[in-house]
Amino acid sequence: MKTTQNICALLGNPVEHSLSPVMHNAAFRDKGLDYTYLAFNVTQDRLCSALEGARALGFKGLNITIPHKVNVIPFLDELDPISQRIGAVNTVVNINGRLKGYNTDAAGFRRALEDKGIDPAGKHVVILGAGGAAMAVSYSLAEAGAGITVLNRLARLNQAVALTRNLPSGPGKTARALALNPENLAGSLETADILVNATSSGMYPKMEETLVPCRLIRPEMTVFDLVYNPLQTRLVSEAASAGAMTINGLEMLVWQGALAFELWTGLSAPVGIMRSEALKALGGRPEKPAGRREPAGATALPTSIALTGFMGSGKTTVARILAEITGKRLVELDRVIEVNAGASIPEIFARTGETGFREIEIEAVKEVSSGRNQVISCGGGVVLNKINMDRLKESAVICYLEVSPEVIMSRMQSQDVEKPVLADPADREEVARLIRFREPFYRAYADIVINSTGLSAEDTARQIVERLASHARRN
Ligand code: NAP
C-alpha cells in the first residue's frame, strides 16, 4: 500500500465550505507533487491535540482558519516576525517536527491590491471589523503607510482599540478605532480612499446584508470585500453600480493560499490554476440549505435556456429566434419586472434607483426560475447577483452571448437605451469599464459561451442549438 507523508491540512470550524482543498490539491497536481490537502473540523478544546497529531504524523503544513487564528499561537514552537506582530497565524510549516507560524493573509491582501495597481501609501482606509482578517489587513496597510480607521460593533470596540494600538507607527501612519454606527460610518467614509469589509456581513447565507448604505460610496473609492462566498456580495455589487473600483475576496484568498503553498513546498505557486479552481468551485457549488431535497419526480435537467450578456449583445433578438426554433416560451426578464412593478424600467430607476431595481429583479428571477421550457432573455446586470444566477441555474442552461466591446458600443449608440445607468452611450469609457467589470461574471456563470461578433442573430441562435445538444450529451 502506498503511503504519503506529504499531507497539508486546514484546521478550523467549520471547514466544509472552504475552497482551500480544491485550490491546493489543484496546485499540487499542477506541480506534479505527491502532496494531499485535507480539511479537518477542529473544536477549540481539541486544537492542541490536533496540532500534536499533525506534528506526530509529519504533516508538511497547516492552514488555520476561524476561530483558531489567534488561539493557535500558544501551541506553536515559533512565529515568524510578521505573524508575531499581527498576533494571528493562518499558515504553519512543520520544520522537522517544529511548528512555525506565519500569516499570509496580510501579504495576500497586499498582493490583491497591487494586482489592481493600488498603492495604499498615504491613503485613508476604513476597515469594517476587528477580527482575525482585520488584524492582518490593517497591519499590511499600516506597514504600507496608510492612515487607518477601524470600525467595530460597540460591544467589542475594545477589540478594535487593541488592534489599532498594535499597528506599526511612524510618520503619516495614523490609526483610530471607532464604534460602528451610522454617524461614524458616514463621517469616516467621507474621506476614505479605500473601504475594506473585514466582517462576515454579506457572506452566505446572509447575502442580502450590507453594512454600508450605497449613498456613502463615492466613485473615487476602492471597495474591497474580503467575503468571497458569494463572489459578488451586495456591497461589491452596489459599489460597482456607484462607479467605485471593486475587489472581491477571492483575490486575497488565492494569494494567501499561493504564499502558503510556497512556504510548504519551496516552489512558486501556480496562481492562475488556483484562482480558476476556486472560481469553478464557487460557481458550481449548490448553495442550498443542507438537507434540502428535490421533490419526488422532479427532473434535475434544466429545460430552459437563459441568455446573458451585456446590453447590446443581441439577447432579445436571439432569444426570440431561439424560442421559435425550439418551441420554448419566450420570457423577457425586463418585461416581467415592468409588469410586476407596474412601471417602465426608466420609471423604476427614477423612483427607486438602481438598488430598488435590483431588488425587483431578484423577485422576477425567482418567479421566472420556477418555470420550465423557456428561453429567458436576461437583463445585462442579472449576473451581478449570485442569488439570481443560482436560481436561474436550477432550471436553465446559461448561455453567455459574448460580443466585442466595439460592437456593443456601436449598437448602443444606434439604439434607444432604456436603463438610465447607461443613458449616455457617448460615455465610452464608462461603458468599457462596465464591460470589463462584468465580463468575468458572465463567463464564470456560463454553461455555454457563444462569440456572436460577426454572426447574424439567426446564425447565433443556430449555434446555440448545436452547443445545447453537445452540452446535454456531456451532462
Ligand atoms: P472573525 O475573527 O470572526 O471576525 C469577524 C469580525 O466581523 C468581527 O469584528 C465581528 O464583530 C464582525 N462582524 C461579524 N458580523 C457582523 C455584522 N453583522 N455587523 C458588524 N460586524 C460584524 O472573522 P475573520 O477571520 O476576521 O473573517 C472576517 C471575514 O473575512 C469573513 O467573511 C471571512 O470569510 C473573510 N476572510 C476572507 C479572507 C480571504 O482570503 N478573502 C481571509 C480571511 C477572512 P464583533 O467583534 O462585534 O463580533
Side-chain angles (χ1 to χ4, degrees):
M1 192 180 74
K2 181 178 174 244
T3 58
T4 174
Q5 291 284 297
N6 300 324
I7 292 175
C8 294
L10 173 67
L11 310 185
N13 187 16
V15 294
E16 287 77 8
H17 289 284
S18 171
L19 298 177
S20 294
V22 290
M23 274 197 324
H24 284 293
N25 284 322
F28 293 148
R29 272 195 306 278
D30 182 72
K31 292 284 176 179
L33 295 173
D34 186 16
Y35 274 55
T36 301
Y37 189 101
L38 304 166
F40 295 102
N41 241 319
V42 176
T43 51
Q44 180 59 45
D45 56 327
R46 296 296 176 97
L47 182 59
C48 179
S49 330
L51 286 158
E52 283 315 308
R55 190 202 306 269
L57 294 170
F59 283 18
K60 290 285 177 195
L62 299 168
N63 276 141
I64 308 294
T65 190
I66 294 176
H68 304 314
K69 285 185 185 181
V70 175
N71 302 333
V72 73
I73 289 178
F75 305 122
L76 301 176
D77 301 307
E78 201 182 338
L79 293 180
D80 88 313
I82 293 174
S83 62
Q84 186 159 30
R85 195 67 206 264
I86 295 170
V89 161
N90 78 324
T91 300
V92 175
V93 182
N94 183 352
I95 308 162
N96 302 322
R98 283 181 63 76
L99 301 182
K100 180 169 179 179
Y102 293 84
N103 190 308
T104 65
D105 280 337
F109 172 80
R110 189 70 197 281
R111 291 294 289 265
L113 274 184
E114 279 169 10
D115 270 1
K116 300 281 176 181
I118 296 166
D119 176 2
K123 305 258 168 46
H124 175 208
V125 186
V126 171
I127 300 170
L128 307 179
M135 286 160 84
V137 162
S138 53
Y139 173 86
S140 138
L141 288 164
E143 269 285 298
I148 293 167
T149 302
V150 179
L151 298 173
N152 205 34
R153 291 186 287 204
L154 186 60
R156 302 227 308 144
L157 181 57
N158 58 342
Q159 178 83 9
V161 172
L163 186 160
T164 50
R165 283 206 184 123
N166 196 27
L167 292 176
S169 55
K173 293 180 176 173
T174 56
R176 59 179 180 162
L178 298 174
L180 177 57
N181 61 37
E183 294 73 39
N184 287 340
L185 186 62
S188 51
L189 285 181
E190 261 173 30
T191 56
D193 302 297
I194 302 173
L195 165 66
V196 180
N197 176 37
T199 76
S200 35
S201 164
M203 190 166 102
Y204 175 81
K206 295 186 177 168
M207 293 176 288
E208 293 301 324
E209 227 179 69
T210 175
L211 297 174
V212 187
C214 45
R215 66 188 153 74
L216 300 182
I217 299 171
R218 291 173 289 108
E220 318 79 81
M221 277 164 64
T222 295
V223 175
F224 194 149
D225 197 336
L226 302 195
V227 172
Y228 53 81
N229 183 13
L231 203 52
Q232 182 85 0
T233 58
R234 180 166 169 192
L235 173 64
V236 165
S237 171
E238 292 182 352
S241 301
M245 178 187 271
T246 58
I247 310 176
N248 63 49
L250 188 73
E251 291 310 310
M252 174 174 163
L253 181 83
V254 168
W255 277 111
Q256 65 74 32
L259 297 168
F261 177 97
E262 293 177 4
L263 285 169
W264 298 326
T265 66
L267 300 174
S268 68
V271 178
I273 301 252
M274 294 173 84
R275 180 181 289 108
S276 68
E277 285 301 313
L279 201 55
K280 225 190 293 170
L282 271 176
R285 171 182 294 160
E287 287 177 335
K288 296 173 190 161
R292 178 177 153 178
R293 296 247 166 84
E294 295 297 335
T299 168
L301 286 177
T303 58
S304 298
I305 307 156
L307 300 188
T308 62
F310 206 78
M311 185 187 292
S313 59
K315 288 166 300 196
T316 310
T317 315
V318 173
R320 184 176 45 71
I321 299 168
L322 200 55
E324 280 167 15
I325 300 175
T326 59
K328 293 178 189 289
R329 191 164 76 90
L330 176 64
V331 177
E332 277 195 62
L333 194 61
D334 280 354
R335 297 292 84 76
V336 176
I337 291 169
E338 289 184 326
V339 169
N340 289 357
S344 69
I345 287 179
E347 284 166 352
I348 301 172
F349 268 79
R351 263 192 234 152
T352 65
E354 176 154 13
T355 311
F357 172 81
R358 296 285 169 218
E359 278 166 13
I360 302 171
E361 187 179 55
I362 288 175
E363 283 313 302
V365 169
K366 189 175 176 186
E367 181 188 325
V368 166
S369 302
S370 63
R372 291 174 56 75
N373 275 317
Q374 309 172 105
V375 176
I376 307 160
S377 170
C378 298
V382 82
V383 286
L384 298 181
N385 192 322
K386 188 169 187 302
I387 308 171
N388 287 338
M389 297 315 292
D390 284 349
R391 286 188 174 140
L392 282 168
K393 264 185 179 280
E394 284 191 353
S395 62
V397 175
I398 312 291
C399 177
Y400 164 37
L401 291 192
E402 184 186 22
V403 183
S404 71
E406 293 70 31
V407 171
I408 289 175
M409 303 261 194
S410 73
R411 285 184 188 164
M412 285 181 66
Q413 275 165 341
S414 62
Q415 74 185 30
D416 283 336
V417 178
E418 286 188 328
K419 289 182 189 169
V421 71
L422 291 174
D424 182 8
D427 191 350
R428 299 176 73 84
E429 208 177 298
E430 172 59 6
V431 174
R433 194 193 66 76
L434 267 177
I435 294 172
R436 276 197 307 275
F437 174 76
R438 287 187 187 173
E439 212 273 340
F441 293 96
Y442 290 130
R443 206 166 276 286
Y445 289 117
D447 298 301
I448 294 172
V449 180
I450 302 279
N451 189 331
S452 63
T453 307
L455 289 183
S456 67
E458 285 77 8
D459 285 343
T460 306
R462 270 193 285 277
Q463 271 213 16
I464 294 173
V465 172
E466 282 168 23
R467 295 282 299 280
L468 278 171
S470 50
H471 178 78
R473 277 197 297 277
R474 273 203 315 274
N475 296 280

